[in-house]
């Protein structure tokens, strides 16, 4: 007989349920998709597997490495204009490994207050000094860049996952140069969608980026992530990043898919154009109903309501109409900032967008 959950943990669950924030697993596989990160529909693309390395045998530092994996890493790094790259099992693993290993005791990390949980979790595992600056506020960042000890790192995302807004990368890059700080940039929600051939928002500042993280679980519709960096930074990461060292390597078949999907996305201008048109249509129709609605250039849009009950009612109405939406509640967002997070895709039809707007009210 399995042991029951300890009482104090049950109480945590009960409190979350009482607060209306208890999460649950759902299956929306036959719904109109307005909640996934598959912005270009690339998860639906299939590619033939030609590599003999289909499975996994161990960590990459033991038996899980191959010349093919390293060739794909170098190929993807060159595509994005970087000297080198290291593939991690996920974006979460990559941020955990980067931020837990690179900043040392006495160093300083200054990060945007809305940085992803994976960045925050990585920061908890190092002994560096940590400071957060106001979201996308370059002036506040400069204030914090004065008078720091050790090497200074600045951590930002190009597009923020719960807001969909973009970082002022040009200003941030200039400040990093001015104060000799190293910029670590997470392009999770912009790579594949923005830039020439989907290379992201940082193209113009790539020479000033210390580590650029590209994840493959969003617009690339796959799994894993690559830390783009210099050759010696790559060696440092596979020597000290514990989330890389102590985990089984992802299968060779996945490595092959990553190369294929990067190649496919590089030519996916049609998908990016359709996505842009869908975003324009969504914004136009929303503003027709509510002139105060503000939109983002990214596929991530947000709608808020005066109360959690109203928000949940709208989500239920959408789900009942077979429209896949989720309420974003604390602790994912701060209390008082609950919202519906909407993801627009290249494969959404105008009819689906119209249905979505109707249920949003």
């Amino acid at each position: 007989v399995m042991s029951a959950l300890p009482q104090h943990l049950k109480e945590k669950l009960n409190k979350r349920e009482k607060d209306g924030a208890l999460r649950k697993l759902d299956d929306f596989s036959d719904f109109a998709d307005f909640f996934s990160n598959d912005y270009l529909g690339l998860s639906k693309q299939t590619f033939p597997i030609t590599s003999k390395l289909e499975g996994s045998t161990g960590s990459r530092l033991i038996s899980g490495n191959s010349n093919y994996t390293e060739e794909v890493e170098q190929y993807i790094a060159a595509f994005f204009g970087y000297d080198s790259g290291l593939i991690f099992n996920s974006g979460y693993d990559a941020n955990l490994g980067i931020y837990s290993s690179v900043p040392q005791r006495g160093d300083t990390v200054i990060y945007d207050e809305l940085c992803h949980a994976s960045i925050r979790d990585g920061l908890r595992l190092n002994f560096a000094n940590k400071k957060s600056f106001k979201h996308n506020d370059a002036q506040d960042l400069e204030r914090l860049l004065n008078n720091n000890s050790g090497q200074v790192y600045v951590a930002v995302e190009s597009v923020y996952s719960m807001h969909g807004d973009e970082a002022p990368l040009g200003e941030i890059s200039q400040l990093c140069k001015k104060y000799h700080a190293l910029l670590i940039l997470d392009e999770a929600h912009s790579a594949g969608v923005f830039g020439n051939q989907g290379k992201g928002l940082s193209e113009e500042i790539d020479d000033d980026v210390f580590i650029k993280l590209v994840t493959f679980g969003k617009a690339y519709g796959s799994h894993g992530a690559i830390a783009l960096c210099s050759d010696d930074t790559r060696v440092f990461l596979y020597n000290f990043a514990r989330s890389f060292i102590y985990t089984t390597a992802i299968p060779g078949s996945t490595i092959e898919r990553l190369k294929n999907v990067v190649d496919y996305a590089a030519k996916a201008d049609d998908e990016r154009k359709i996505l842009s048109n869908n975003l324009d249509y969504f914004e136009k129709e929303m503003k027709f109903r509510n002139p105060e609605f503000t939109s983002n250039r990214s596929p991530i849009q947000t709608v808020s309501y005066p109360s959690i009950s109203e928000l949940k009612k709208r989500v239920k109405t959408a789900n009942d109409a077979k429209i896949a939406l989720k309420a974003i509640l604390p602790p994912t967002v701060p209390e008082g900032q609950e919202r519906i997070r909407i993801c627009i895709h290249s494969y959404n039809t105008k009819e689906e967008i119209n249905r979505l707007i109707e249920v949003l009210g």
Side-chain angles (χ1 to χ4, degrees), residues 176-276:
C176 287
K177 285 196 287 189
K178 178 179 178 180
Y179 291 94
H180 308 290
L182 295 177
L183 177 59
I184 304 177
L185 175 64
D186 189 334
E187 287 252 47
H189 291 276
S190 53
V193 175
F194 291 110
N196 177 41
Q197 298 182 298
K199 291 179 182 177
L201 286 171
S202 70
E203 270 192 286
E204 295 182 3
I205 64 160
D206 272 334
D207 290 344
D208 304 318
V209 177
F210 173 53
I211 299 174
K212 169 173 168 168
L213 180 63
V214 171
T215 66
F216 300 109
K218 276 65 175 188
Y220 289 104
S222 297
H223 195 65
I226 188 167
L228 301 167
C229 54
S230 64
D231 292 334
D232 53 358
T233 302
R234 178 179 183 271
V235 174
F236 181 90
L237 288 173
Y238 70 65
N239 272 276
F240 291 97
R242 294 166 69 88
S243 62
F244 176 90
I245 297 167
Y246 297 108
T247 193
T248 300
I250 57 177
S253 55
T254 300
I255 296 294
E256 184 173 3
R257 178 178 173 82
L258 297 186
K259 179 181 183 299
N260 288 332
V261 81
V262 167
D263 284 343
Y264 188 97
K267 302 170 185 175
D269 290 337
D270 288 345
E271 286 89 341
R272 282 186 283 270
K273 180 64 175 175
I274 296 169
L275 172 60
S276 178

Side-chain angles (χ1 to χ4, degrees), residues 102-344:
V102 173
Q104 303 292 298
R105 189 186 300 274
D107 290 343
T108 303
V109 183
I110 306 175
Y111 62 96
D112 189 290
E113 64 181 350
L114 294 187
C115 274
H116 191 264
S118 57
I119 295 175
R120 291 171 174 269
D121 288 352
L123 291 173
R124 288 192 185 102
L125 296 175
N126 70 43
F127 297 101
N129 304 305
K130 297 107 177 174
K131 304 176 182 179
S132 66
F133 66 94
K134 294 175 185 176
H135 178 53
N136 280 347
D137 189 331
Q139 186 175 354
D140 194 45
L141 171 60
E142 181 164 24
R143 177 182 65 82
L144 293 175
L145 278 167
N146 281 290
N147 302 320
N148 292 292
S149 63
Q151 176 62 58
V152 179
Y153 300 90
V154 172
V156 298
E157 302 173 38
S158 52
V159 171
Y160 287 85
S161 62
M162 290 299 123
H163 286 65
D165 55 348
E166 301 170 29
L169 293 180
E171 292 179 79
I172 290 171
S173 173
Q174 290 300 314
L175 287 174
C176 287
K177 285 196 287 189
K178 178 179 178 180
Y179 291 94
H180 308 290
L182 295 177
L183 177 59
I184 304 177
L185 175 64
D186 189 334
E187 287 252 47
H189 291 276
S190 53
V193 175
F194 291 110
N196 177 41
Q197 298 182 298
K199 291 179 182 177
L201 286 171
S202 70
E203 270 192 286
E204 295 182 3
I205 64 160
D206 272 334
D207 290 344
D208 304 318
V209 177
F210 173 53
I211 299 174
K212 169 173 168 168
L213 180 63
V214 171
T215 66
F216 300 109
K218 276 65 175 188
Y220 289 104
S222 297
H223 195 65
I226 188 167
L228 301 167
C229 54
S230 64
D231 292 334
D232 53 358
T233 302
R234 178 179 183 271
V235 174
F236 181 90
L237 288 173
Y238 70 65
N239 272 276
F240 291 97
R242 294 166 69 88
S243 62
F244 176 90
I245 297 167
Y246 297 108
T247 193
T248 300
I250 57 177
S253 55
T254 300
I255 296 294
E256 184 173 3
R257 178 178 173 82
L258 297 186
K259 179 181 183 299
N260 288 332
V261 81
V262 167
D263 284 343
Y264 188 97
K267 302 170 185 175
D269 290 337
D270 288 345
E271 286 89 341
R272 282 186 283 270
K273 180 64 175 175
I274 296 169
L275 172 60
S276 178
N277 290 340
N278 281 346
L279 286 165
D280 289 343
Y281 182 78
F282 175 77
E283 178 185 21
K284 182 188 75 172
E285 293 300 312
M286 287 291 285
K287 285 191 172 180
F288 176 74
R289 289 161 175 78
N290 179 7
E292 295 182 2
F293 173 74
T294 57
S295 64
N296 300 308
R297 191 166 67 116
S298 80
I300 302 168
Q301 309 293 316
T302 61
V303 177
S304 299
Y305 293 91
S307 67
I308 293 181
S309 61
E310 175 66 12
L311 185 153
K312 287 186 171 182
K313 177 183 174 183
R314 294 292 178 181
V315 170
K316 185 179 185 307
T317 301
N319 295 165
D320 289 344
K322 299 190 83 64
I323 296 172
L325 284 181
K326 281 273 193 173
I328 306 299
L329 305 172
T332 303
V333 293
E335 289 189 17
Q337 296 186 28
E338 299 84 3
R339 69 200 67 175
I340 296 176
R341 177 182 184 266
I342 300 162
C343 293
I344 306 294

Side-chain angles (χ1 to χ4, degrees), residues 1-122:
V1 179
M2 297 297 293
S3 298
L5 187 70
Q7 184 59 35
H8 68 292
L9 299 183
K10 285 184 181 179
E11 290 171 0
K12 290 195 73 170
L13 274 180
N14 292 338
K15 182 180 186 305
R16 183 160 286 187
E17 185 170 24
K18 182 181 177 182
D19 293 342
L22 186 68
R23 297 179 173 103
K24 63 188 181 89
L25 299 172
D26 294 302
D27 179 9
F28 293 125
S29 54
D30 60 342
F31 285 41
D33 179 5
F34 287 104
F35 75 149
S36 82
N37 296 323
D38 187 23
Y39 307 127
L40 301 176
L42 300 191
S43 71
K44 302 169 181 61
Q45 292 294 328
T46 57
F47 304 97
I49 298 172
T50 61
S51 170
K52 296 179 181 179
L53 305 169
E54 291 191 20
S56 296
T57 65
S59 71
R60 284 189 57 190
L61 287 173
I62 303 296
S63 62
N65 194 47
S66 69
N67 289 334
Y68 180 71
T69 297
E70 297 202 52
E71 287 168 8
V72 170
E73 284 175 328
Q74 191 57 43
Y75 179 87
I76 295 174
F79 170 78
F80 282 99
Y82 282 74
D83 292 339
S84 197
L86 186 67
I87 291 175
F88 286 78
N89 289 23
S90 69
Y92 184 93
D93 282 341
N95 275 331
L96 204 67
I98 291 166
Y99 288 98
S100 63
S101 66
V102 173
Q104 303 292 298
R105 189 186 300 274
D107 290 343
T108 303
V109 183
I110 306 175
Y111 62 96
D112 189 290
E113 64 181 350
L114 294 187
C115 274
H116 191 264
S118 57
I119 295 175
R120 291 171 174 269
D121 288 352

